[in-house]
């Protein structure tokens, strides 16, 4: 919560410097461990109510870390730094979801379909491919 407030304030009050010094990358190095620890007890396919706090967290960080140009990336280019928000999703969200999908029963598709529909607006395009 404190990191969120600090980086939101930096982005709002020092827009030019935030971009110039690429502070979104600094934020992602601080935020990834915090968000990872908040997801340890999460059961993603347990239903919408289980996801709401995490949807809120990712929405808030997307607003801070993501830039419009990054939303069009279809696949990260090897050697280029991954956009900060994409790193957050890749490092925090993907491992939890990968594990949930491994435990998922494919004969009951509704929980996974509902989950992905809920999260789709927050995910980089290449994650869903």
């Amino acid at each position: 919560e404190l990191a969120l407030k600090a980086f939101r304030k930096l982005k709002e009050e020092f827009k030019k410097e935030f971009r110039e010094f690429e502070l979104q990358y600094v934020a992602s190095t601080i935020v990834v461990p915090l968000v990872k620890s908040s997801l340890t007890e999460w059961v993603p396919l347990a239903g919408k109510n289980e996801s709401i706090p995490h949807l809120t967290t990712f929405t808030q960080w997307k607003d801070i870390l993501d830039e419009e140009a990054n939303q069009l990336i279809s696949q990260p280019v090897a050697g280029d730094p991954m956009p900060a928000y994409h790193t957050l999703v890749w490092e925090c969200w993907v491992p939890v979801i990968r594990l949930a999908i491994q435990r998922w029963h494919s004969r009951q598709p509704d929980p996974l379909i509902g989950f992905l529909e809920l999260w789709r607006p927050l995910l980089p395009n290449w994650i869903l491919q």
Side-chain angles (χ1 to χ4, degrees):
E1 186 71 28
L2 186 59
L4 184 67
K5 287 179 183 177
F7 281 101
R8 181 178 287 133
K9 184 174 182 176
L10 281 170
K11 187 171 183 177
E12 289 171 359
E13 294 182 16
F14 303 98
K15 284 183 182 186
K16 181 182 173 200
E17 292 84 356
F18 195 89
R19 266 203 193 117
E20 182 178 341
F21 297 113
E22 298 181 325
L23 293 180
Q24 68 272 20
Y25 291 104
V26 173
S28 71
T29 62
I30 293 168
V31 172
V32 166
L34 296 173
V35 173
K36 254 187 192 178
S37 69
S38 76
L39 299 178
T40 56
E41 301 296 320
W42 182 34
V43 182
L45 303 181
K48 184 177 180 178
N49 290 340
E50 184 75 21
S51 287
I52 289 175
H54 305 297
L55 282 163
T56 302
T57 298
F58 277 84
T59 299
Q60 292 170 330
W61 281 112
K62 183 175 174 46
D63 290 343
I64 294 169
L65 301 177
D66 209 14
E67 297 175 6
E68 283 185 41
N70 295 336
Q71 295 170 10
L72 304 175
I73 294 175
S74 59
Q75 185 73 25
V77 177
D80 286 353
M82 189 182 297
Y85 179 71
H86 295 209
T87 299
L88 179 69
V89 172
W90 183 253
E91 295 288 328
C92 300
W93 188 87
V94 169
V96 175
I97 303 317
R98 185 179 296 134
L99 187 59
I101 290 173
Q102 288 173 348
R103 296 176 179 163
W104 165 66
H105 301 288
S106 60
R107 294 188 189 273
Q108 299 170 348
D110 293 341
L112 183 58
I113 292 169
F115 174 82
L116 291 174
E117 286 174 353
L118 188 65
W119 280 86
R120 184 181 191 102
L122 293 175
L123 301 177
N125 291 332
W126 62 270
I127 295 275
L128 293 172
Q129 294 177 352

